[in-house]
Amino acid sequence: MEIVIDAGGTPRTYEVIATRAGRRVEVATRRGLVEVSEVTRSGTAVRTARFMSSRILALVEHPADEHPG
């Protein structure tokens, strides 16, 4: 997942990726915040990034590789 935000005139790009097999990236919108998390198979969040929704310019989801490695 690629997140592009407005950082005071200059856009900044952040990436949240599933670093191991079986993990996934989830996006949740809550009270003016967008939360992007890397989640394990059991549902435990490993990493979480939070952004103000008013600052987000784009959320880009890239497809998973079918043949990793």
Side-chain angles (χ1 to χ4, degrees):
M1 178 71 64
E2 188 175 346
I3 305 100
V4 181
I5 64 163
D6 177 19
T10 305
R12 293 186 109 170
T13 303
Y14 296 91
E15 285 189 7
V16 177
I17 59 172
T19 56
R20 291 188 175 176
R23 291 188 179 173
R24 63 189 184 275
V25 176
E26 292 184 350
V27 178
T29 305
R30 297 183 182 126
R31 303 186 125 220
L33 288 177
V34 174
E35 192 173 274
V36 182
S37 301
E38 178 184 358
V39 181
T40 63
R41 289 180 183 160
S42 63
T44 305
V46 178
R47 297 185 303 145
T48 301
R50 291 182 183 94
F51 303 94
M52 292 174 44
S53 60
S54 61
R55 294 283 186 174
I56 294 179
L57 300 174
L59 285 172
V60 181
E61 184 176 2
H62 298 286
D65 292 333
E66 289 187 24
H67 304 287

